[in-house]
Amino acid sequence: MRVTGGWPLAVGLLLLGWLWLGPLPDMARRAFSPHMILHLGVAVTAAPLIVIGLLRLSPGRGTLRYPVLVAVAASALEFAVVWGWHAPAMHEMAARSHSRFALQQLSFLVAGIALWWACLAGRTREELAIGGVATLFASMHMAMLGILLILAPQLIYAPQFCLGAFGLRPLADQQLGGGLMALFGTLPFVAAGAWIASRLARQEPAGRR
């Protein structure tokens, strides 16, 4: 039962292996939309699967001792990692070096796991509500970054690191990356927020028990 219940962990780890060992890392250092596909695959697909699998394997151990502190710290870390690595100087620095690129990808995973743990590990009404606020904040700043990239009238990143992919010109490729961020960086958090809201609706306030 424990192995069966933990299948999201296995899927998340397999996905992570495919993302990091497949063709995307090399493409991501030369074009923006593959970078965004890789980022979203790690942070909002593999990371929540890993967290869900760990929580299923250890029910009750995910209870947050200091839910507000955990949520604020995880949200701040994830915000700093996402916006920091997408600043032109940081993005280009990572693209120039294998070791810095690996650090970038590892930070996406660590920040993603921390945030999804803060969002999904709650059990009490307070913890669930705090997790819901964290999902809302994450969806908002991911959408904001994506929209800024879509609306940029020119390349934000140096041309040698934004050559274009999938037959697209560099600017269109950058805008595609922004669109992926705005849509697929937001939807998982919206879905998580809806799941949290449904759990809150099913729980009775403490005073009524």
Side-chain angles (χ1 to χ4, degrees):
M1 288 295 292
R2 294 174 72 86
V3 175
T4 303
W7 67 264
L9 174 60
V11 173
L13 292 175
L14 286 172
L15 175 60
L16 198 60
W18 179 81
L19 289 168
W20 282 348
L21 299 177
L24 277 175
D26 184 58
M27 296 174 65
R29 296 177 65 196
R30 295 178 289 107
F32 190 72
S33 62
H35 158 83
M36 195 59 73
I37 293 170
L38 183 59
H39 171 200
L40 295 174
V42 170
V44 300
T45 308
L49 285 170
I50 290 170
V51 168
I52 292 168
L54 290 173
L55 290 172
R56 286 187 172 189
L57 288 173
S58 302
R61 293 187 183 180
T63 303
L64 304 176
R65 189 170 183 182
Y66 302 104
V68 175
L69 180 60
V70 169
V72 170
S75 296
L77 173 65
E78 193 263 352
F79 178 85
V81 165
V82 170
W83 284 79
W85 283 116
H86 287 95
M90 293 290 287
H91 179 80
E92 293 160 16
M93 181 183 73
R96 290 190 183 99
S97 164
H98 286 287
S99 60
R100 288 185 291 238
F101 183 81
L103 176 62
Q104 178 198 67
Q105 295 301 311
L106 181 61
S107 66
F108 284 153
L109 178 63
V110 170
I113 288 175
L115 179 62
W116 283 106
W117 192 277
C119 293
L120 301 178
R123 296 292 184 270
T124 67
R125 288 182 65 84
E126 179 193 21
E127 291 170 352
L128 289 168
I130 292 167
V133 173
T135 63
L136 176 62
F137 175 73
S139 68
M140 290 173 62
H141 86 75
M142 297 281 264
M144 185 181 300
L145 177 57
I147 291 170
L148 288 174
L149 291 165
I150 293 170
L151 297 179
Q154 58 189 17
L155 282 178
I156 295 175
Y157 306 105
Q160 64 267 35
F161 304 116
C162 196
L163 297 175
F166 312 116
L168 297 173
R169 292 181 179 275
L171 181 58
D173 182 58
Q174 179 180 280
Q175 292 168 337
L176 173 60
L180 292 171
M181 169 66 85
L183 180 61
F184 297 106
T186 301
L187 284 178
F189 291 108
V190 172
W195 176 78
I196 290 170
S198 70
R199 290 195 63 190
L200 277 169
R202 291 196 299 269
Q203 284 195 7
E204 292 184 6
R208 297 184 181 178
R209 294 177 184 176

